[in-house]
Amino acid sequence: MFPQLFRPRGPAAVERPTQRDPGSTSNDNTFNDPRSSTRSSVSIADVETGFLPGENTTRKEWKKAFPPSSLLAKHHRSSSRDSDPAERAKRRLKWLTCTIIVLAIVLLGVTSAFLALQIPRRASQVKNGVELITSRWGLPSQSTQQALTMWPTDFSRDIQPIACHSHNDYWRRVPLYDALAAGCTGVEADIWTDAKSPDELFVGHTRKSLTASRTLESLYIEPLLTILDNANAPSAFSDPSANDTTVSTTPNHKTGIFSTSPSTSLTLLIDLKTDAATTFPVLLTALQPLLAANYLTTYSPASDSLVRGPITVVATGLTNFTANILSPANTTPFRFVFFDAPLAALSTLAPTAMDMAYNTTNSYYASVSFKEAIGDVGWWRREMSTMQAWEVSVMALGARDRGLVSRFWDVPGGKGEWEVLWGMGVGVLSVDDLKGVKSFLEER
C-alpha cells in the first residue's frame, strides 16, 4: 500500500514474519493491517529502537509510529483551552492591555512631536523678553540671561502695567516673570532665615517647602537688577530732557520695568516669616545692589524728600514698624524699606498716635485681611452686602487720604468682588488669578 521509502536501521534490521496464526488473538503490542490478507506486525519495541514502517504498514500504525509534532501538540492543547471561559477572558485582557499600551505610546509620540513644533513657533511670536522667558521656561537650551539681554531696552514692550498684586508670587510656574507678563505692579515673596545659612533669605510659604536654590536673591533681586541694568544702559541717543516717553520722569531718571510706562514703580512686598530682629538686617544687606544702583524708592529725613524709584520695597509679616522701619539702619542716610500699614487702623473714628504715624515717608501699602475686616461673603447671595461695600470704601478712603495704596488680601470669590473693590476705590487688587484680573482691569 505504501512504498517502502525507509529501511530498518541498526541491529533490529531482521526479517519479520508477515503472517500470523489466524486463530491467535491480537496482541496490544502489535499493529495489524486489517485490509491485507497478509498481516504485518510491528512491535512497540521496534519503534522505540528505530524501526521504520515498511510497505505493509497501515495508516493507523504509521500515525502511532510517528506521533504529531510538538507544534501540533501545542495546537491541540490550545484548542482545548479555547473551551475554557477563564482562559479566553485572560487572553482578551492581555490583548486589551497591549492595545492600550501601544496606543498610549503612539499618543505620547504624537504629542511630543506637536509640542516640539509649537515651541519654536511660540518663541518666534513673542513680543518681548518677558514673554520669551515665560514661553520657554524650563527648557535646557534656554538661557534666562540670554533672554534678558535680547531686548536690552524693550524687555517689557507692549505690556501695560495694571493695578494688580501677585499674591504668593513664588508659587507661580515662572516667579516674577508671570506677574510682569500680566502687567502686575506688585509681587510678593515670603522670606525665611536659617541658622545653617544665616546670610541667605530663602523663599517659600512654609519652612518645609524651602530649598537652597530658591532664594530672594536668585528669584527676584538678580533678575530685577539685570532687567534694570539693561533698561538703563547708556545710549548715545537717550536725552532725558527731550519729549521721550521711554525715559523716566522721576528725579533720578531711572527707567523702570515697564517700557510703556517707565516711571511706574514695581512694588516688591517682602513678608517676613522668621524673627524680624535677625531677618530684617539680612534683608537690608540683600537689597544693597539695588540701592547702590539707585533703583529703589527712598526717603531722606534730612531733606524730607521722597524719590520714587523703579522698585519700591515694602515689608510686612513679622516686620516691626518702630524697631525695623524707623531704625537707624533703615533711616540713615535714607529709608529704602517701607511699611505695610494696617488698613483697618487708618479709618478708625478714634485713631491713636501710632495710627496717625503711617504716611508716605514710612509706608506704601495699607493692607488687611478681607475676611477679618469685612467678613465673609454669604454663599446664599454670592456678593458683598451694602454694609460690606461701605466699609471697604471707608478703608480705601482712609488710605488714600494718607497717600497710601489700599490692599485687601484673602478676598473670597473673583470678578464680582473685584468689581466692588475697584468701584469703592481700592488701590490694588491682590489676586491669584493673573489672567482673570488682567482681563478685568483692561475692560475698565
Side-chain angles (χ1 to χ4, degrees):
M1 179 182 298
F2 297 96
Q4 191 164 352
L5 301 178
F6 306 98
R7 292 296 183 192
R9 297 176 299 178
V14 296
E15 197 67 24
R16 303 294 178 184
T18 58
Q19 294 209 6
R20 297 186 57 181
D21 184 0
S24 65
T25 307
S26 177
N27 193 332
D28 290 339
N29 292 329
T30 61
F31 302 107
N32 300 321
D33 184 2
R35 294 168 293 178
S36 174
S37 58
T38 62
R39 307 180 66 184
S40 175
S41 300
V42 181
S43 68
I44 297 300
D46 293 335
V47 176
E48 291 176 349
T49 56
F51 176 77
L52 300 179
E55 61 180 357
N56 295 325
T57 306
T58 64
R59 186 183 300 274
K60 184 176 181 181
E61 292 170 343
W62 185 280
K63 287 183 178 181
K64 288 187 177 182
F66 297 94
S69 65
S70 59
L71 181 62
L72 187 59
K74 181 178 180 181
H75 172 71
H76 290 330
R77 291 194 300 269
S78 176
S79 299
S80 64
R81 289 197 302 266
D82 288 341
S83 60
D84 187 357
E87 291 291 339
R88 291 200 301 270
K90 288 181 180 179
R91 287 197 302 276
R92 289 172 183 169
L93 180 60
K94 185 177 180 180
W95 179 86
L96 181 61
T97 303
C98 293
T99 303
I100 292 175
I101 293 175
V102 171
L103 291 178
I105 294 174
V106 172
L107 181 61
L108 180 61
V110 172
T111 304
S112 301
F114 176 78
L115 292 178
L117 294 175
Q118 290 298 315
I119 289 174
R121 182 182 303 176
R122 290 182 61 189
S124 64
Q125 294 175 348
V126 297
K127 301 177 181 178
N128 49 61
V130 178
E131 292 184 1
L132 179 62
I133 291 176
T134 56
S135 64
R136 304 195 66 183
W137 185 263
L139 296 179
S141 61
Q142 173 61 28
S143 170
T144 302
Q145 184 67 26
Q146 178 185 5
L148 288 169
T149 55
M150 286 182 65
W151 283 273
T153 57
D154 297 321
F155 181 74
S156 57
R157 188 188 71 180
D158 295 337
I159 298 177
Q160 297 295 330
I162 56 178
C164 76
H165 174 84
S166 178
H167 177 243
N168 289 342
D169 180 78
Y170 50 87
W171 272 349
R172 305 198 181 281
R173 187 180 70 90
V174 190
L176 178 62
Y177 296 107
D178 277 345
L180 295 182
C184 286
T185 54
V187 293
E188 178 181 341
D190 298 350
I191 63 171
W192 305 70
T193 55
D194 187 78
K196 297 179 181 178
S197 302
D199 297 329
E200 287 285 355
L201 294 174
F202 301 97
V203 176
H205 195 64
T206 61
R207 182 173 288 277
K208 187 178 180 179
S209 65
L210 304 180
T211 61
S213 61
R214 293 174 64 85
T215 64
L216 184 67
E217 181 180 12
S218 65
L219 294 181
Y220 295 96
I221 295 179
E222 287 184 353
L224 290 173
L225 193 61
T226 304
I227 294 171
L228 293 174
D229 282 346
N230 293 336
N232 290 278
S235 173
F237 301 96
S238 61
D239 184 5
S241 62
N243 185 21
D244 188 353
T245 58
T246 64
V247 177
S248 174
T249 57
T250 57
N252 59 11
H253 297 295
K254 291 296 184 181
T255 300
I257 299 292
F258 301 100
S259 302
T260 58
S261 181
S263 299
T264 298
S265 183
L266 176 73
T267 304
L268 179 59
L269 181 65
I270 306 297
D271 190 344
L272 274 66
K273 293 296 186 180
T274 47
D275 180 48
T278 57
T279 307
F280 194 78
V282 180
L283 173 62
L284 296 181
T285 303
L287 295 172
Q288 289 303 312
L290 292 171
L291 179 64
N294 288 331
Y295 293 150
L296 298 183
T297 296
T298 59
Y299 169 73
S300 173
S303 60
D304 192 24
S305 59
L306 180 69
V307 179
R308 290 292 179 194
I311 300 174
T312 300
V313 179
V314 180
T316 186
L318 296 179
T319 304
N320 185 279
F321 178 70
T322 303
N324 300 135
I325 302 300
L326 303 183
S327 66
N330 189 44
T331 305
T332 306
F334 35 67
R335 179 174 297 124
F336 56 95
V337 177
F338 296 81
F339 194 54
D340 184 17
L343 180 58
L346 305 185
S347 59
T348 179
L349 297 177
T352 63
M354 180 61 71
D355 296 337
M356 298 299 295
Y358 307 116
N359 53 59
T360 56
T361 67
N362 53 52
S363 304
Y364 181 77
Y365 272 162
S367 308
V368 71
S369 167
F370 182 91
K371 292 183 178 180
E372 292 180 3
I374 306 299
D376 203 353
V377 176
W379 61 268
W380 58 91
R381 59 176 182 269
R382 295 291 182 180
E383 61 182 12
M384 294 186 200
S385 65
T386 303
M387 180 59 69
Q388 287 177 323
W390 178 82
E391 291 176 350
V392 168
S393 66
V394 170
M395 292 185 184
L397 180 61
R400 190 163 56 251
D401 287 344
R402 299 168 187 246
L404 306 181
V405 179
S406 56
R407 181 181 72 98
F408 286 90
W409 51 276
D410 197 20
V411 179
K415 187 174 181 180
E417 284 66 37
W418 297 343
E419 191 78 49
V420 176
L421 295 176
W422 192 250
M424 294 295 104
V426 172
V428 65
L429 298 179
S430 181
V431 299
D432 295 313
D433 182 9
L434 297 182
K435 292 183 179 180
V437 75
K438 177 179 174 64
S439 176
F440 170 79
L441 291 176
E442 286 179 344
E443 295 173 357
R444 299 300 178 272

